[in-house]
Amino acid sequence: MAKPWGKYVIDYLGHAKFMALTSNALALWWEAKNYCDKYHTDGLFPRSALKTFRFNGVKSVRLLTTSCGQKPDGTPYGALWQMFDLGTMPYVRMHDYLDHNDSRETVLARMALVDERQAVARERLQAWREAKTQKRETP
């Protein structure tokens, strides 16, 4: 199976939202993004997953779930994470995840295409090897 991969915006660290984070909060954000990219969750993850993240901490979570201040126009920045309940299960949504990352459907379609191309390439290679072997064995 093709390896999934994730995207990030170059110079995101220069944005006020990220400049307001501690190194642990930034590492926690990356752990969550990696989780979302790995499991193709479209930026959602269960709050219970936070327990498995190495940089999980009260201060880091607070920094990620609150606004870092005001934009130049005076409106507040949105938090990087929004906590909410989906049915009976508490979840976290990464702010604007789908604005900067491909959706689950797009990623799975791309991975399927890569798998298909690799299968065709393996079949061609196998046919070439068999033809080469036959050529050697033919007197």
Side-chain angles (χ1 to χ4, degrees), residues 19-89:
M19 291 177 69
L21 299 178
T22 63
S23 56
N24 278 358
L26 183 60
L28 180 59
W29 182 87
W30 268 109
E31 284 183 300
K33 181 173 180 343
N34 184 65
Y35 179 96
C36 294
D37 292 344
K38 180 179 179 181
Y39 296 110
H40 319 297
T41 67
D42 289 344
L44 300 174
F45 62 94
R47 276 190 236 172
S48 58
L50 279 171
K51 295 175 187 171
T52 66
F53 298 158
R54 290 170 292 175
F55 294 93
N56 182 30
V58 174
K59 183 178 179 183
S60 296
V61 171
R62 186 172 13 92
L63 286 170
L64 291 165
T65 57
T66 58
S67 174
C68 69
Q70 292 186 342
K71 299 177 186 178
D73 67 4
T75 59
Y77 282 110
L80 288 167
W81 289 358
Q82 294 93 33
M83 303 284 199
F84 70 101
D85 291 336
L86 189 61
T88 59
M89 195 158 177

Side-chain angles (χ1 to χ4, degrees), residues 70-126:
Q70 292 186 342
K71 299 177 186 178
D73 67 4
T75 59
Y77 282 110
L80 288 167
W81 289 358
Q82 294 93 33
M83 303 284 199
F84 70 101
D85 291 336
L86 189 61
T88 59
M89 195 158 177
Y91 271 82
V92 179
R93 173 180 285 126
M94 295 189 79
H95 181 70
D96 288 346
Y97 182 87
L98 289 175
D99 291 348
H100 305 285
N101 297 276
D102 292 333
S103 69
R104 174 184 179 86
E105 293 82 26
T106 301
V107 171
L108 294 179
R110 182 176 57 240
M111 290 172 63
L113 183 61
V114 168
D115 287 343
E116 191 177 307
R117 287 178 183 163
Q118 287 176 340
V120 168
R122 280 192 293 274
E123 288 171 10
R124 278 193 212 136
L125 181 61
Q126 185 62 30

